[in-house]
């Protein structure tokens, strides 16, 4: 504790440093005795580097998943979207390990192409159905449901509504 009558303060009780005037820079504060220097090593250790090369048996991450993705992309069951997603996952896994994965890349390409062809096929099937009078037949069946005793023209042929309703199962 310091003496109020003594002009010199105790070593632990230093007066605050004067504040700089507006527009002036404050001098750098002296480092505390218990602080570490700015160039000191970090308190934690660095992560170990991945030094392992490819496995002796030729396997790498994503290889099996790439094969599964390619099989799903080729199988004509409509699993091209699943094959595309698994191919992307397999390729990412391989790239993280620093390996190339041609099988996963092939799965991505094959499933993408087959997915686009499937969508084009669906669009063409709907267009051909409408062009062949499929939509006209649907309209005629709906007209017969409203008036079952009349006649309708389907593809240039006059047919009774009873025949149309009987063939459509209504």
């Amino acid at each position: 504790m310091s003496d109020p009558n003594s002009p010199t303060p105790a070593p632990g009780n230093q007066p605050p440093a004067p504040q700089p005037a507006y527009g002036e820079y404050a001098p750098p504060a002296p480092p505390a005795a218990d602080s570490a220097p700015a160039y000191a090593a970090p308190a934690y250790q660095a992560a170990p580097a991945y030094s392992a090369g490819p496995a002796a048996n030729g396997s790498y991450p994503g290889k099996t998943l790439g094969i599964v993705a390619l099989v799903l992309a080729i199988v004509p069951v409509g699993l091209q979207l699943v094959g595309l997603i698994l191919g992307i996952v397999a390729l990412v896994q391989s790239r993280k390990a620093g390996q190339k994965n041609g099988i996963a890349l092939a799965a991505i390409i094959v499933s993408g192409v087959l997915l686009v062809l499937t969508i084009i096929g669906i669009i063409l099937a709907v267009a051909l159905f409408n062009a062949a009078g499929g939509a006209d037949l649907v309209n005629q069946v709906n007209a017969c449901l409203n008036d079952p005793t009349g006649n309708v023209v389907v593809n240039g042929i006059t047919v009774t509504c009873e025949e149309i309703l009987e063939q459509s199962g209504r």
Side-chain angles (χ1 to χ4, degrees):
M1 214 157 147
S2 67
D3 183 13
N5 297 330
S6 168
T8 59
N13 292 334
Q14 296 291 331
Q19 295 294 324
Y22 180 76
E24 294 180 2
Y25 293 104
D34 61 343
S35 68
Y39 55 84
Y44 54 87
Q45 295 178 352
Y50 180 77
S51 60
N57 60 2
S59 67
Y60 49 87
K63 184 175 183 180
T64 305
L65 190 59
I67 294 169
V68 170
L70 185 60
V71 168
L72 288 177
I74 294 173
V75 172
V77 183
L79 296 174
Q80 285 83 20
L81 184 61
V82 176
L84 178 67
I85 293 169
L86 291 180
I88 292 170
V89 170
L91 188 64
V92 168
Q93 285 180 349
S94 300
R95 293 287 168 100
K96 278 186 167 182
Q99 299 291 321
K100 294 181 180 179
N101 194 346
I103 297 172
L105 192 58
I108 292 170
I109 292 170
V110 168
S111 60
V113 167
L114 291 178
L115 191 62
V116 168
L117 289 176
T118 302
I119 292 171
I120 291 172
I122 291 171
I123 291 171
L124 287 176
V126 169
L128 289 175
F129 178 75
N130 286 337
D136 186 43
L137 181 61
V138 171
N139 291 335
Q140 299 303 333
V141 169
N142 288 335
C144 285
L145 288 175
N146 293 335
D147 183 21
T149 60
N151 295 329
V152 292
V153 178
V154 178
N155 294 332
I157 301 171
T158 303
V159 183
T160 63
C161 283
E162 289 101 15
E163 289 179 45
I164 290 185
L165 292 176
E166 181 180 311
Q167 290 176 0
S168 67
R170 296 188 185 211

